[in-house]
């Protein structure tokens, strides 16, 4: 079993910055992928950014250089630095991790979500 603990959400003014963190712990042999998704009210959950082992990243089109995903392998932690935030970035942000367990099973896990609210 893997536990994800998210932190860093909150209320920020438009143009401001926030940094989200997600730490994975538990029965982990290896982590293949760590990333962030978001879901705004009335909308589908969408990819924000993902980083895979080796450091390659992918992100949603709306990121346009404003957000940066990074990973600390030693701590099994993924970060999302969000700059130049806009009102439309308001959403619940979810951490997602694909991990290899002790029996080499590959499972995906979701965090509980952290609210990001951007005010004008």
């Amino acid at each position: 079993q893997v536990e994800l603990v998210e932190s860093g959400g909150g209320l920020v003014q438009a143009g401001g910055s926030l940094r989200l963190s997600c730490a994975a712990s538990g029965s982990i042999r290896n982590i293949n992928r760590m990333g962030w998704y978001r879901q705004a009210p009335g909308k589908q959950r969408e990819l924000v950014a993902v980083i895979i082992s080796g450091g390659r990243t992918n992100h949603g089109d709306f990121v346009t250089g404003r957000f940066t995903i990074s990973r600390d392998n030693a701590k099994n932690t993924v970060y999302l630095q969000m700059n130049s935030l806009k009102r439309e970035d308001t959403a619940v942000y979810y951490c997602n991790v694909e991990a290899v367990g002790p029996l080499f099973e590959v499972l995906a896990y979701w965090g509980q979500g952290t609210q990001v609210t951007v005010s004008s």
Side-chain angles (χ1 to χ4, degrees):
Q1 187 67 21
V2 173
E3 181 183 17
L4 303 181
V5 178
E6 302 165 343
S7 61
L11 174 64
V12 64
Q13 288 190 330
S17 299
L18 283 174
R19 189 192 193 207
L20 306 182
S21 301
C22 173
S25 62
S27 302
I28 300 172
R29 182 179 291 273
N30 187 45
I31 292 180
N32 293 335
R33 185 187 72 238
M34 305 184 84
W36 293 93
Y37 290 73
R38 71 183 188 183
Q39 188 167 19
K43 295 187 177 181
Q44 290 188 333
R45 192 171 295 190
E46 62 180 349
L47 170 69
V48 178
V50 63
I51 185 168
I52 63 173
S53 56
R56 192 170 63 187
T57 63
N58 190 22
H59 54 76
D61 291 340
F62 60 85
V63 169
T64 59
R66 298 183 298 126
F67 298 175
T68 302
I69 189 169
S70 60
R71 175 177 168 179
D72 185 332
N73 291 326
K75 296 180 180 180
N76 284 339
T77 299
V78 62
Y79 305 96
L80 184 68
Q81 178 66 43
M82 302 186 293
N83 300 326
S84 302
L85 283 161
K86 306 175 182 179
R87 287 191 63 186
E88 50 264 42
D89 294 318
T90 295
V92 178
Y93 284 70
Y94 295 92
C95 177
N96 177 261
V97 170
E98 182 183 278
V100 181
L103 301 179
F104 296 95
E105 71 278 23
V106 179
L107 295 172
Y109 300 89
W110 290 94
Q112 78 281 3
T114 184
Q115 177 70 46
V116 171
T117 302
V118 184
S119 63
S120 58

